[in-house]
């Protein structure tokens, strides 16, 4: 029987811990830092997910059999390299392969070199050069900070003033860090997430999902870290799927091997179905959040064995339940802007509710502790049924300071 450590603390890690808890090969799960929901399934350890040396020490002292890493920040600072050096089995890409997410320029150069379809682009470190380029091109234009920016590094500029402000922030004021940007063409179409287990050039697809980024129903309001997701995707045809796999995900895995930075872990393709074909918007080097929370509940096969298969260079068994899942985020009022924490939450005990930002307060109450707080997932034979059930689950939760969208997945079934 195995002892597994999951690094991370949000809804994605709760879903990974939940999936691992169903494995007959796993008897002890640790999570760091975890959260109040994860604590029901795993022993939560008070170490931050970027405290790599402490994590290695903990994994060694507890004789952990497998470490699974959720967040990009941990991967980008080389947690897998350090764990492997210490002789600990770990699931995720090494630091040099995690660059596919941590450097936009690395990802874009790779796509250009290997003809992987994406928006055309140029990168800049000099503000005047970037401004001149923007002046010569049309709007909207997309300005991306070259580095991890916790989802805040992308600006869709509709006019010169917006572009100028973004470039000043990223190149002159050094607001984010070292100051390099990628400026790329604006693309249009539905976005979708294609996560695949990757072992060097071998690619094993997971089921697709779609995130909903805008805060309010009908895709209104500001962009967020994601307000809900569903899986699978009726708007993706068999041809779309084949194209995304054979022209994007497999060539990318092969390209990374050729570049000497083989990828092992979950490669996340953030793709867009444009009129001109499917194109890459971004790659991530890890499970998506909140996509993971709607994809893993549909996995019938053993995830512990799948993680080990990838580490050992073998083909994982991946079997999926034939159903739809819809997940709805309950977020603190005010999110993605300012919000208050510490509101008591009742009736959130269901196994189908993943915790994103919760904690137990000094009085032993479950309270809100973040922008996105809970994620309620339901299954259905149709998307409509899954949506109805997910909304019912949400309606049972009692808390004075949460809001949610009611239309997750609705575009796919409302005509
Ligand atoms: P990224 O962090 O690169 O995924 O970008 C965040 C979001 O910005 C994406 O989910 C898209 O909605 C949007 N976006 C990024 N690149 C483009 C593009 N070239 N055209 C249109 N929208 C984009
Ligand atoms: N859902 C977007 C992400 O995981 O980056």
């Amino acid at each position: 029987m195995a002892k597994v450590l999951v690094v991370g603390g949000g809804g994605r890690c709760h879903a990974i811990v939940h999936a691992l808890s169903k494995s007959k090969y796993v008897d002890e799960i640790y999570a760091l830092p975890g959260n109040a929901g994860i604590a029901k399934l795993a022993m939560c350890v008070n170490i931050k997910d970027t405290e790599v040396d402490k994590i290695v020490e903990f994994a060694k002292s507890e004789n952990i059999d497998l470490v699974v890493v959720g967040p990009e920040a941990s991967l980008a600072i080389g947690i897998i390299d350090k764990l492997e050096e210490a002789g600990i089995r770990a699931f995720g890409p090494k630091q040099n392969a995690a660059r596919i997410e941590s450097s936009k320029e690395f990802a874009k150069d790779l796509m250009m070199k290997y003809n992987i379809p994406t928006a055309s682009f140029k990168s800049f470190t000099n503000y005047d050069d970037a401004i001149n380029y923007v002046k010569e091109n049309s709007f909207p234009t997309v300005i991306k900070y070259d580095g991890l920016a916790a989802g805040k590094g992308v600006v869709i500029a509709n006019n010169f003033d917006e572009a100028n402000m973004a470039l000043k922030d990223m190149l002159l004021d050094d607001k984010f860090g070292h100051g390099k940007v990628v400026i790329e063409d604006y693309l249009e179409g539905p976005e979708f997430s294609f996560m695949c287990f990757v072992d060097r050039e071998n690619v094993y697809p997971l089921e697709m999902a779609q995130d909903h980024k805008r805060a309010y129903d009908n895709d209104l309001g500001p962009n967020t870290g994601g307000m809900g997701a569903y899986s699978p995707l009726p708007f993706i045809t068999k041809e779309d799927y084949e194209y995304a796999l054979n022209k994007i995900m497999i060539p990318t895995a092969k390209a990374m091997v050729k570049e000497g930075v083989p990828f092992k872990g979950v490669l996340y393709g953030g793709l867009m179905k444009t009129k001109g074909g499917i194109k890459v918007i971004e790659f991530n080097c890890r499970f998506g959040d909140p996509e993971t929370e709607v994809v893993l509940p549909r996995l019938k096969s053993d995830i512990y064995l799948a993680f080990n298969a990838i580490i050992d260079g073998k083909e994982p068994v991946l079997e999926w339940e034939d159903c739809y899942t819809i997940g709805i985020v309950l977020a603190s009022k005010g999110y993605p802007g300012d919000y208050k924490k510490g509101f008591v939450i009742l009736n959130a005990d269901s196994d189908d509710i993943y915790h994103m930002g919760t904690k137990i307060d000094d009085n032993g109450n479950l309270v809100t502790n973040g922008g996105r707080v809970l994620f309620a997932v339901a299954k259905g034979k149709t998307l409509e049924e899954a949506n109805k059930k997910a909304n019912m689950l949400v309606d049972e939760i009692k808390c004075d300071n949460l809001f949610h969208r009611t239309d997750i997945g609705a575009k796919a079934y409302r005509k």
Side-chain angles (χ1 to χ4, degrees):
M1 293 296 274
K3 270 188 178 181
V4 184
L5 168 65
V6 178
V7 174
R12 167 181 53 202
C13 288
H14 195 172
I16 295 170
V17 166
H18 188 210
L20 280 165
S21 74
K22 291 190 263 180
S23 169
K24 64 173 188 238
Y25 301 98
V26 175
D27 68 344
E28 276 179 66
I29 309 176
Y30 294 83
L32 61 85
N35 65 33
I38 294 172
K40 286 193 277 181
L41 299 168
M43 192 90 83
C44 292
V45 184
N46 191 15
I47 299 177
K48 282 199 209 120
D49 54 21
T50 48
E51 290 181 309
V52 173
D53 292 338
K54 283 191 189 168
I55 296 171
V56 172
E57 213 174 285
F58 176 81
K60 262 207 233 155
S61 68
E62 289 296 327
N63 290 319
I64 298 290
D65 297 296
L66 170 69
V67 181
V68 180
V69 180
E72 63 274 20
S74 319
L75 295 164
I77 56 174
I79 188 170
I80 300 294
D81 309 57
K82 286 264 175 69
L83 285 163
E84 285 184 359
E85 278 161 27
I88 299 159
R89 283 169 81 76
F91 178 83
K94 290 190 179 172
Q95 186 172 29
N96 58 13
R99 282 169 71 210
I100 193 140
E101 173 166 4
S102 63
S103 167
K104 299 271 184 207
E105 192 187 32
F106 172 83
K108 292 299 278 191
D109 284 344
L110 189 85
M111 287 186 263
M112 284 295 146
K113 185 165 171 190
Y114 291 91
N115 281 321
I116 294 157
T118 188
S120 33
F121 79 104
K122 260 186 106 109
S123 34
F124 297 92
T125 47
N126 180 283
Y127 168 78
D128 294 326
D129 293 346
I131 283 289
N132 286 335
Y133 180 78
V134 160
K135 275 186 190 153
E136 284 163 16
N137 284 280
S138 59
F139 292 98
T141 192
V142 184
I143 301 176
K144 298 187 175 184
Y145 177 72
D146 183 47
L148 293 182
K152 297 189 178 90
V154 176
V155 172
I156 313 261
N158 290 302
N159 51 52
F160 178 78
D161 288 344
E162 286 176 16
N164 189 25
M165 204 148 74
L167 290 171
K168 272 193 174 149
D169 276 353
M170 294 180 193
L171 293 177
L172 292 185
D173 300 343
D174 212 14
K175 202 166 164 180
F176 296 90
H178 73 107
K180 189 188 268 185
V181 298
V182 165
I183 303 182
E184 67 176 42
D185 290 352
Y186 177 75
L187 301 175
E188 272 176 293
E191 287 180 60
F192 61 102
S193 309
F194 194 13
M195 298 185 279
C196 297
F197 278 123
V198 172
D199 158 36
R200 296 157 302 160
E201 56 279 288
N202 304 305
V203 176
Y204 308 104
L206 309 189
E207 292 277 287
M208 288 180 176
Q210 189 185 44
D211 191 0
H212 291 52
K213 295 262 184 210
R214 297 298 196 104
Y216 313 127
D217 277 10
N218 301 313
D219 289 333
L220 298 173
N223 260 322
T224 69
M227 292 299 292
Y230 75 97
S231 172
L233 307 177
F235 69 89
I236 297 298
T237 63
K238 196 167 179 319
E239 290 73 39
D240 292 337
Y241 177 87
E242 298 292 334
Y243 185 89
L245 182 60
N246 296 315
K247 302 287 182 203
I248 295 177
M249 302 308 289
I250 293 175
T252 302
K254 287 187 172 162
M256 295 200 63
V257 173
K258 280 214 182 103
E259 292 297 305
V261 287
F263 192 97
K264 258 181 183 273
V266 171
L267 181 63
Y268 167 120
L271 311 181
M272 189 186 270
K273 186 172 169 173
T274 76
K275 287 210 175 85
I278 294 174
K279 302 210 165 140
V280 178
I281 294 291
E282 64 165 347
F283 281 116
N284 292 329
C285 64
R286 47 153 178 100
F287 280 109
D289 195 358
E291 292 91 334
T292 303
E293 294 94 304
V294 292
V295 170
L296 291 189
R298 296 185 51 227
L299 182 67
K300 287 196 295 188
S301 46
D302 189 305
I303 199 165
Y304 174 73
L305 295 183
F307 288 141
N308 279 297
I310 293 296
I311 293 172
D312 293 333
K314 298 189 184 134
E315 181 170 354
V317 176
L318 298 171
E319 288 164 0
W320 303 97
E321 196 175 328
D322 183 17
C323 67
Y324 289 96
T325 40
I326 284 190
I328 301 175
V329 171
L330 290 100
S332 295
K333 284 179 187 164
Y335 173 81
D338 292 340
Y339 56 84
K340 294 194 180 119
K341 296 181 186 175
F343 291 83
V344 174
I345 306 165
L346 298 174
N347 299 350
D349 298 324
S350 161
D351 281 350
D352 300 322
I353 298 173
Y354 295 125
H355 290 223
M356 302 183 105
T358 61
K359 70 169 193 184
I360 304 290
D361 73 4
D362 294 341
N363 303 317
N365 294 316
L366 179 69
V367 296
T368 64
N369 192 40
R372 290 182 300 163
V373 176
L374 296 168
F375 191 78
V377 183
K379 289 179 184 170
K381 283 269 162 266
T382 63
L383 271 176
E384 205 160 3
E385 184 193 340
N387 176 293
K388 220 177 182 172
K389 284 191 185 163
N391 273 292
M392 276 161 56
L393 198 55
V394 166
D395 289 341
E396 280 172 25
I397 298 168
K398 300 292 170 228
C399 179
D400 285 342
N401 197 48
L402 297 177
F403 77 98
H404 66 277
R405 282 181 63 160
T406 61
D407 67 340
I408 304 301
K411 261 197 200 151
Y413 65 80
R414 273 187 206 147
K415 292 288 173 272

